[in-house]
Amino acid sequence: MRILVLGHRGMLGSDLTEVLGRDHEVNGVDIGEFDMTSEADCIRVVEEFKPGVVVNAAAYTDVDGCETNRDACFAVNAEGVRNIACACRASRTKIIHYSTDYVFDGTKGEPYVEDDPCLPINVYGESKRKGEEFLVELAENHLLIRTAWLYGRQGKNFVKAILAKARDEGKLRVVDDQVGSPTYSVDLAQATKLLVERDSRGTYHVTNRGVCSWYQFALRILEYAQVSGVTVEPIRSDELIRKAKRPAYSVMSNRKFMEATQRAMRPWQVALNDYINAQSHNHR
Ligand SMILES: NC(=O)c1ccc[n+]([C@@H]2O[C@H](COP(=O)([O-])OP(=O)(O)OC[C@H]3O[C@@H](n4cnc5c(N)ncnc54)[C@H](OP(=O)(O)O)[C@@H]3O)[C@@H](O)[C@H]2O)c1
């Protein structure tokens, strides 16, 4: 397959480029080479690379920043997706796009399935939902993958933040009343490859398996990284001042993915352990 990865320098985009590149011809562009808020740019890159599949991993991902930069956030996460869909329309190019658990309000209390009603509670979630709507409306051949709590090798993430804070301050306060499924971007890239190769269409939820709170996640990070002597205090979300509200319950069911691919995602603890080992190996 000839694949164009949009946002190929981002956390997910870089892993997608590597994983898809093992068996397919992959090109990538990112901000600097193209701006998805420009329809002309989107048309230009699709005409230039003539991909059979466009994988869009570009997005405005600063969740708190979206609260104060609503227009910029919608320009990328909503109108940007419309631009890509329009650019792919004439050539009927397939689009793979990513969305988030934050399209849900987090009150369901059991794993969200693909057709549960969306009710975002922050601007980022609203913008991602609008992007989903554009995709479904404009791209006949699309695959929409919702994921959550991503961490990976490129860029900032929760794992790196916890390890840096533990090292610098020796004391952590971590939210214990939001639960979800931490997901390694390499695992998500591999799951994407499976879905693309079997030409899956429609919406799929894909996260690593299992559930924890941010507090429980932090404890495992320290354990696997063999960091000791750090105090970790569980706190409530309302004790942490942040611009964007987060859903309390962010768990999504992988059932549809498992039925389609006959494969299960790895438990989040196994993936995390792998990630931490790979990171420490790289730093040796
Ligand atoms: N991270 C998570 O926890 C998480 C959770 C659920 C879903 N997702 C979704 O997963 C996907 C990948 O997320 P990620 O965390 O890998 O993102 P990321 O690391 O922030 O990468 C996004 C890339 O898109 C680029 N970009 C931003 N605005 C652009 C524009 N106007 N035109 C072209 N490129 C632009 C970014 O450049 P700059 O870095 O220069 O801005 C960056 O290289 C996104 O759809 C995101 O919504 C992420």
Side-chain angles (χ1 to χ4, degrees):
M1 266 183 256
R2 205 174 148 78
I3 299 174
L4 177 63
V5 176
L6 308 177
H8 76 137
R9 282 193 289 270
M11 181 162 65
L12 177 61
S14 55
D15 285 331
L16 282 166
T17 302
E18 190 185 321
V19 169
L20 293 168
R22 288 176 200 153
D23 290 311
H24 304 283
E25 184 191 342
V26 176
N27 287 293
V29 287
D30 208 314
I31 195 84
E33 295 101 48
F34 102 112
D35 182 343
M36 65 191 274
T37 65
S38 151
E39 191 177 346
D41 275 13
C42 294
I43 292 169
R44 174 176 54 78
V45 292
V46 171
E47 281 181 355
E48 188 178 333
F49 293 103
K50 300 193 175 22
V53 179
V54 166
V55 183
N56 178 37
Y60 191 115
T61 54
D62 175 359
V63 175
D64 290 309
C66 287
E67 296 294 310
T68 40
N69 298 304
R70 190 186 171 90
D71 289 353
C73 156
F74 267 78
V76 178
N77 293 343
E79 277 98 51
V81 180
R82 183 183 58 197
N83 291 340
I84 294 164
C86 290
C88 290
R89 212 170 151 80
S91 52
R92 297 218 171 124
T93 306
K94 178 168 187 156
I95 307 175
I96 322 295
H97 177 64
Y98 296 88
S99 190
T100 164
D101 52 312
Y102 286 7
V103 296
F104 300 116
D105 68 0
T107 60
K108 188 179 173 195
E110 58 185 90
Y112 282 97
V113 293
E114 285 75 0
D115 52 8
D116 273 330
C118 294
L119 210 64
I121 59 171
N122 57 38
V123 173
Y124 170 74
E126 279 176 44
S127 70
K128 293 295 291 183
R129 177 60 190 153
K130 193 72 202 159
E132 290 186 358
E133 286 170 356
F134 280 134
L135 180 80
V136 170
E137 183 192 325
L138 298 169
E140 207 176 292
N141 187 355
H142 70 262
L143 170 62
L144 172 64
I145 300 176
R146 292 198 188 114
T147 191
W149 293 29
L150 269 193
Y151 61 88
R153 292 173 290 188
Q154 292 299 321
K156 293 190 222 160
N157 68 54
F158 183 78
V159 184
K160 291 181 188 172
I162 288 292
L163 290 174
K165 216 161 184 238
R167 190 188 54 226
D168 299 344
E169 298 172 24
K171 222 170 132 188
L172 303 169
R173 298 170 78 235
V174 188
V175 169
D176 196 29
D177 59 0
Q178 289 167 25
V179 296
S181 308
T183 301
Y184 185 17
S185 62
V186 170
D187 288 26
L188 180 61
Q190 280 161 351
T192 300
K193 184 166 182 278
L194 276 176
L195 290 170
V196 172
E197 287 172 351
R198 62 184 298 286
D199 195 22
S200 300
R201 295 167 189 215
T203 304
Y204 286 83
H205 289 175
V206 182
T207 58
N208 277 125
R209 194 147 38 104
V211 178
C212 63
S213 69
W214 291 109
Y215 169 72
Q216 292 163 329
F217 187 20
L219 292 182
R220 276 309 165 107
I221 294 166
L222 297 175
E223 180 191 329
Y224 293 159
Q226 296 176 357
V227 176
S228 53
V230 176
T231 319
V232 191
E233 182 195 344
I235 60 166
R236 292 189 318 270
S237 311
D238 60 13
E239 292 176 74
L240 193 73
I241 300 158
R242 291 214 283 190
K243 290 198 182 97
K245 275 208 281 179
R246 266 81 171 167
Y249 183 87
S250 267
V251 184
M252 297 190 291
S253 167
N254 279 344
R255 191 184 187 142
K256 185 176 171 191
F257 169 80
M258 289 198 300
E259 285 175 0
T261 59
Q262 302 297 308
R263 299 280 268 278
M265 294 295 286
R266 297 194 290 179
W268 68 266
Q269 297 94 328
V270 177
L272 175 64
N273 200 15
D274 245 24
Y275 169 72
I276 288 179
N277 284 337
Q279 291 287 105
S280 57
H281 188 77
N282 289 343
H283 288 138
R284 249 180 243 149

